[in-house]
Amino acid sequence: MSTQSQIDYHRIAKAIEYIKSNFRLQPSLDEVAERIHLSPAHFQKIFTDWAGTSPKKFLQFISIEHAKNLLKEEKASLFDTAYETGLSSTSRLHDLFVKIEGMSPAEYKNGGKSLSINYSFSESPFGKVIAASTEKGICYMAFEEDKEIALGDLKHKFPNASFFEKQDELQKNAFSIFNKDWTELNTIKLHLKGTDFQLKVWESLLTISKGKLSTYGSLAEKIGNPGASRAVGTAIGNNPVAFLIPCHRVIQSSGHIGGYRWGSERKQLIVGWESSQMYSENSILL
């Protein structure tokens, strides 16, 4: 994403925050545009280019009522065929399929001592992102504006690994997830450091379709442990792969967006963006 796109992203985030904070006053397009120092026409254009829909429609996608409706749909199909068979590609990201492989006990316990990890940085519709990979797959992906902090967080997760700033095909494939066209994508492999319980939770996140939402309680039911909502929440909070493992699709049962490892504002933007993409696709089909 270009520098201008980065500027547009932050402007959109600021605009959405303003609309949310002043929702009762129903601010006009002119008022919001003035708030972020743009003409109404330019604001409408960059917003539609980014989100695929109008500011007004986007706000509907991130409203509590919209979230509640999605949760009702999720509850109705809690144990759908895609989950039972372990296949989620058709309903999630077109033909994309994410496969998780857990690290060996030795890799898990010794801080990645035997691992050689490549890493690189890129831009996304939601800010700067770092991705890292072993020879087996993506092991880390995070949103972070500061490259030094991003690299520091990665090294903290694998303190004994060897690191090389190099973008390989695994990372390129992962970064391409932020494009709106996933027809060129096949399988994305993840090589993750986690307990058996964490891996099970992260795999369950992959069953949540793009544009849909779930709750901590629903995920606990999915993994066969309905009393483990809090433990599920902790595992979600430790998700090491942003966006690819869609922990942003888990919200509170009340419909409120809830917390997010990479910022609740970013989570809200992602949720709205995904809903708008589904809305655009469905409009084309109709």
Side-chain angles (χ1 to χ4, degrees), residues 24 59 85 87 91 98 107 126 128 139-140 174 186 197 211 275:
R24 292 179 183 276
L59 262 294
T85 61
L87 298 174
S91 61
V98 178
E107 291 168 334
F126 318 107
K128 295 177 182 177
C139 63
Y140 184 79
N186 294 309
F197 181 80
S275 290

Side-chain angles (χ1 to χ4, degrees), residues 17-282:
E17 185 58 37
Y18 176 74
I19 297 171
K20 283 175 53 190
S21 300
N22 297 275
F23 186 77
R24 292 179 183 276
L25 301 176
Q26 290 291 292
S28 67
L29 180 69
D30 290 11
E31 290 172 319
V32 179
E34 182 180 4
R35 185 74 177 185
I36 60 173
H37 311 295
L38 292 176
S39 69
H42 187 45
F43 170 56
Q44 179 88 359
K45 181 181 185 304
I46 67 168
F47 193 100
T48 304
D49 286 347
W50 183 84
T53 190
S54 68
K56 182 177 180 180
K57 190 69 179 179
F58 191 89
L59 262 294
Q60 293 177 9
F61 290 142
I62 62 174
S63 72
I64 290 178
E65 288 307 310
H66 178 68
K68 286 181 178 179
N69 288 334
L70 290 179
L71 291 179
K72 287 178 183 178
E73 293 177 12
E74 195 269 345
K75 192 67 177 178
S77 59
L78 189 60
F79 296 103
D80 57 22
T81 303
Y83 176 72
E84 293 297 335
T85 61
L87 298 174
S88 59
S89 57
T90 300
S91 61
R92 198 173 54 80
L93 288 178
H94 298 268
D95 295 323
L96 173 66
F97 183 68
V98 178
K99 181 180 180 182
I100 293 178
E101 177 181 342
M103 292 189 176
S104 68
E107 291 168 334
Y108 181 90
K109 292 179 180 179
N110 65 17
K113 187 176 181 180
S114 61
L115 294 177
S116 176
I117 296 177
N118 295 331
Y119 68 91
S120 62
F121 303 93
S122 186
E123 306 286 354
S124 82
F126 318 107
K128 295 177 182 177
V129 62
I130 182 176
S133 55
T134 69
E135 61 179 7
K136 294 182 179 179
I138 296 294
C139 63
Y140 184 79
M141 192 163 169
F143 295 108
E144 176 55 59
E145 297 300 311
D146 189 302
K147 288 187 176 182
E148 289 187 10
I149 293 176
L151 181 56
D153 290 343
L154 170 62
K155 289 183 175 180
H156 178 73
K157 189 163 187 65
F158 301 98
N160 299 319
S162 299
F163 295 92
F164 304 91
E165 186 169 4
K166 174 185 176 183
Q167 187 172 101
D168 54 32
E169 288 302 314
L170 290 164
Q171 295 160 38
K172 289 178 182 178
N173 204 24
F175 287 140
S176 65
I177 196 70
F178 296 112
N179 298 328
K180 295 180 182 179
D181 179 12
W182 292 291
T183 56
E184 297 299 317
L185 289 173
N186 294 309
T187 299
I188 290 183
K189 296 180 180 179
L190 307 181
H191 188 208
L192 304 184
K193 174 183 177 181
T195 64
D196 290 342
F197 181 80
Q198 287 174 324
L199 292 171
K200 195 172 185 179
V201 171
W202 298 339
E203 286 177 339
S204 73
L205 291 172
L206 297 175
T207 69
I208 308 173
S209 301
K210 175 191 171 190
K212 302 297 183 180
L213 299 173
S214 187
T215 65
Y216 303 101
S218 291
L219 283 180
E221 288 184 49
K222 278 187 176 183
I223 64 174
N225 199 341
S229 294
R230 182 166 294 184
V232 165
T234 300
I236 290 173
N238 288 322
N239 170 27
V241 181
F243 200 78
L244 283 173
I245 298 180
C247 58
H248 56 272
R249 296 177 192 159
V250 182
I251 65 171
Q252 298 174 3
S253 57
S254 63
H256 286 87
I257 204 71
Y260 186 53
R261 182 173 177 177
W262 297 283
S264 58
E265 182 183 82
R266 180 176 276 115
K267 179 179 181 178
Q268 194 144 34
L269 286 168
I270 295 173
V271 167
W273 185 82
E274 288 191 332
S275 290
S276 70
Q277 303 308 305
M278 294 303 293
Y279 170 79
S280 298
E281 291 165 14
N282 292 336

